[in-house]
Amino acid sequence: MRGACDCHAHVCGPASRYPYAPNRLYTPEDALPADYRRMLDSLGLERGVLVQPSIYGTDNQALLDALAQDRERLRGVAVVPYDIHARELDKLHQAGVRGVRQNIVDLKEGKGALPLDDLRRLAVKIKPFGWHVEFLMHVDEFPELDRQLADFPVDVVFGHLGYVPATKKTSEPGFQALLRLMQDGKAWVKLTAPYRLTVSALPYPETDVFARALVEAAPERLLWGTDWPHVFIKGAMPEDRKLLALLEHWVPDKAARKRILVDNPAQVYGFTRP
């Protein structure tokens, strides 16, 4: 599909050139930019979004070097300190960064804590660039999420279907709050990494109810991604082509799939519309 985009992937290594943070939770195998572009080509995807993994902290150099190799095809989501200066944000923007990530899951310290005051101040700084804040968090742990983010200065993006364990239900107050944020035009959700929500094998049937609830609520606020190279995974390694096929299972309507794969990413990440 022309203009189709993988909205969630990572590049890692080599460690000799891009050292990992000492407080990381895992050490990945090398997953290099050239490998990623070959994966995109194999799936027939024209575009990709690289998201800063937790193993690098706020050192975005591996991400920036990867973006520099293909400025037309790739965009990035960085991790930055809260006190970053506008000049540094401008440099990141010129390099292809279009958002900042807040991970409150893969941490040794501060896990599950949402630093909203710091994030609001950061959001004010990134707003002139048209960026968003991407959250990696378990939305079921935040039953008043829509109230907490009701007046947030920029759009927000949530990874991994809201990251609700498949042992729970869509009636979870936090998941319902996420649906309301989407319907109010304030949040985007990535249909990514269903294997992180369940111990089942592909096609991860327990996650269907969450994916379809998101699709029914607001397909105009959805994105899709591979989560390549599937770091820190505890179960069987998924096949990227089958993950893409799973999107067709969740979204049988072709026009809706085009919106999720092409139109929505173009809006969020600033790609030229095909």
Side-chain angles (χ1 to χ4, degrees), residues 33-50:
D35 300 324
Y36 177 60
R37 294 197 302 274
R38 280 193 291 271
M39 188 279 295
L40 289 180
D41 291 341
S42 73
L43 297 187
L45 300 172
E46 292 189 356
R47 296 165 170 173
V49 178
L50 297 174

Side-chain angles (χ1 to χ4, degrees), residues 155-158 161 175-191 209-224 247 250-251 253 255-261 263-265 267-268:
D155 274 10
V156 291
V157 177
F158 293 88
L161 293 84
F175 187 77
Q176 289 297 312
L178 175 62
L179 297 182
R180 290 193 293 272
L181 279 171
M182 294 171 62
Q183 292 167 332
D184 290 342
K186 297 177 179 177
W188 304 83
V189 177
K190 291 183 174 182
L191 299 173
V209 64
F210 293 96
R212 287 174 174 157
L214 293 165
V215 173
E216 182 178 349
E220 71 279 6
R221 305 297 293 187
L222 292 175
L223 306 161
W224 175 85
L247 178 65
W250 288 338
V251 191
D253 181 73
R257 286 201 308 277
K258 176 182 178 295
R259 186 162 196 170
I260 293 168
L261 287 171
D263 301 328
N264 294 349
Q267 181 178 344
V268 175

Side-chain angles (χ1 to χ4, degrees), residues 65-130:
D65 287 352
L67 296 179
Q69 294 181 28
D70 204 334
R71 294 186 184 276
E72 291 297 318
R73 190 178 196 181
L74 301 177
R75 296 290 185 270
V77 177
V79 175
V80 302
Y82 298 126
D83 61 354
I84 190 171
H85 194 279
R87 288 192 300 270
E88 294 303 314
L89 291 173
D90 185 61
K91 290 179 183 178
L92 292 174
H93 188 81
Q94 297 305 318
V97 171
R98 293 298 180 267
V100 294
R101 190 188 200 199
Q102 179 70 40
N103 181 343
I104 64 169
V105 175
D106 298 332
L107 302 173
K108 285 188 177 179
E109 298 179 1
K111 185 175 181 178
L114 189 60
L116 268 180
D117 290 340
D118 288 330
L119 284 168
R120 288 182 191 278
R121 287 189 287 268
L122 179 59
V124 170
K125 292 181 181 181
I126 68 174
K127 187 174 183 177
F129 298 94

Side-chain angles (χ1 to χ4, degrees), residues 140-141 164-170 172 209-210:
D140 54 296
E141 297 177 358
V164 180
T167 53
K168 298 192 175 184
K169 298 180 179 180
T170 59
E172 289 285 335
V209 64
F210 293 96

